[in-house]
Amino acid sequence: MIAGASAPPPALEAPGRPAPADGAGHGFGGAGGAGGGGGATGGADPGGAARHGPAGAAGTTRRLVALDVFRGMTVAGMLLVNDPGSWGHIFPPLEHAAWNGWTPTDLIFPFFLFIVGITTHLSLTARRARGADDSALVRQIVRRGGVIILLGLLLSWFPFFSWGPIPGHADPGAVERIVDRLLRVRGPGILQRIGLVYIVAALLTLRTGLRAQVVVTAGILLGYWALLTIVPVPDSGLPGWATETVPQGTLAAWVDRLVLDWSGWGLGNHIWALSKTWDPEGVLSTVPAVATTMLGVIAGRWIGADRPIAERLSGLMAVGGVVAAAGCAWGWVFPINKTLWTSSYVLLSGGLAALTLGVCLWLIDGLGADSRHAAGRVAARARRWAQPFVIFGVNPIVAFVGSDAMARLIYSVITVPTAAGPVPLETAIYRTAYASWLEPRLASLGFAISFVLVWLGVLTLLYRREIFVKV
């Protein structure tokens, strides 16, 4: 849905500035919650930033701009690591860990899910306070999650035909290309996982209290640990702990093949094309991703509490440090692994997400807005510096879907002629404008930064025209 704001897009608001009276409503990623206005907040809150706590007058709330900033940082980071000039020349921190272990890149997706959890709680709380009944909230949750999953499947299918040679067809026609593409469409994906875990986490948030949420989260983490380490893998008979270093040998990989590989029936293999035997957003590993989102829900309860912001910040960061340390310790017996989304990885990434959000809240919302004081001046500078991330954060669905479609076109579909034969458009641009004068890794990074800046320009135009796409 495209919502035109009835007021100018908010700049980074001062912490004490009252929010619009419509409260908190959120769309994709902004909050994953069941917001009002059909995905926007009545046209007055394009960013979907969380509202929290009293701000003095009855019925007023305060906008936590730091959540927009944190979400925007994750979206911009996703674009940066997904779109290098050359996959063969990447600085190590911008690559995923090969298997066990982690890099900063491995934190981007769980950080996003953590934010979805926070804003899901804040949004549902606000809707209930405005009188929404549970049946309406359930319908909104299922609709939004379903739309996000559908967008992910369409993005996987895009551009809806196979553009290269097709085995067994010397001169394939349009029908053959469309059918071949359908047989190769990847089932799982980023948006598909976001949609699924949002539905589950939002329904849990709606139907349970804090104690039950903690128990469910702990149960998921402990149960997944037992499942992946004790249960034998059916096709090998080996217990999970004996296969944890072999990507295609894990129980999660076996489930992916069971559910997504339909080639035995002539219906294609819908697992990630680069592996064909396991998927980094696979079926079984989506279960602990729910726990990541629930950690965000629990954090959202604390952030939204009627307490001084200093108390909320100190508690958030203290618990975040403890949870991250627990994840590291658990990693000694259940390795930290993003692809498997291991329980240790959930705790590590969730704890680091809390710490990072705490820093953002401290810099942007917690230092005060009075420019006459040194703390207020620091906060004002932080808010100006963070404005590009706000722009990414208020239109995440456009940034993700648009950039992914663009990447599919320039990296694969659109080619240009060269002396050595046709090459993808991205390769031609990279070789000419970057690799011709920069060291390979710098050239690759330069292309990725340029890609991010292109989308910052697109999103800035939408921001200034008050166009905000929600689902």
Side-chain angles (χ1 to χ4, degrees), residues 251-425:
L251 182 64
W254 180 82
V255 172
D256 287 343
R257 293 192 293 273
L258 177 68
V259 176
L260 300 169
D261 185 359
W262 302 349
S263 54
W265 296 279
L267 298 176
N269 186 344
H270 302 282
I271 299 175
W272 187 42
L274 295 184
S275 73
K276 298 187 184 300
T277 57
W278 54 272
D279 199 289
E281 277 77 48
V283 177
L284 197 57
S285 60
T286 297
V287 175
V290 173
T292 297
T293 310
M294 292 307 299
L295 290 178
V297 169
I298 295 167
R301 283 180 168 271
W302 177 253
I303 292 171
D306 184 12
R307 300 173 184 268
I309 193 167
E311 184 177 341
R312 283 177 283 160
L313 282 175
S314 59
L316 179 69
M317 297 182 75
V319 173
V322 171
V323 170
C328 288
W330 202 347
W332 285 102
V333 293
F334 192 25
I336 293 167
N337 186 301
K338 176 190 177 295
T339 298
L340 294 176
W341 213 277
T342 54
S343 304
S344 56
Y345 172 73
V346 170
L347 293 185
L348 172 69
S349 58
L352 293 178
L355 287 168
T356 305
L357 177 58
V359 171
C360 291
L361 286 167
W362 179 71
L363 285 173
I364 295 168
D365 291 288
L367 287 175
D370 190 346
S371 61
R372 294 173 297 176
H373 299 102
R377 289 194 293 272
V378 172
R381 286 196 294 270
R383 287 191 287 271
R384 287 194 295 270
W385 166 82
Q387 183 65 23
F389 297 117
V390 172
I391 291 171
F392 271 107
V394 299
N395 251 329
I397 192 69
V398 174
F400 186 85
V401 174
S403 66
D404 208 48
M406 175 180 170
R408 179 73 53 79
L409 291 174
I410 67 173
Y411 279 80
S412 303
V413 179
I414 302 174
T415 60
V416 296
T418 68
V423 298
L425 176 60

Side-chain angles (χ1 to χ4, degrees), residues 12 19 46 56 133 220 238 330 357 364 380 454:
L12 292 171
D133 63 87
I220 290 173
L238 296 172
W330 202 347
L357 177 58
I364 295 168
V454 166

Side-chain angles (χ1 to χ4, degrees), residues 161-164 166 169-181:
F161 64 89
S162 292
W163 53 88
I166 299 176
H169 297 273
D171 185 21
V175 173
E176 287 84 4
R177 291 189 177 279
I178 292 171
V179 171
D180 184 73
R181 183 65 185 156

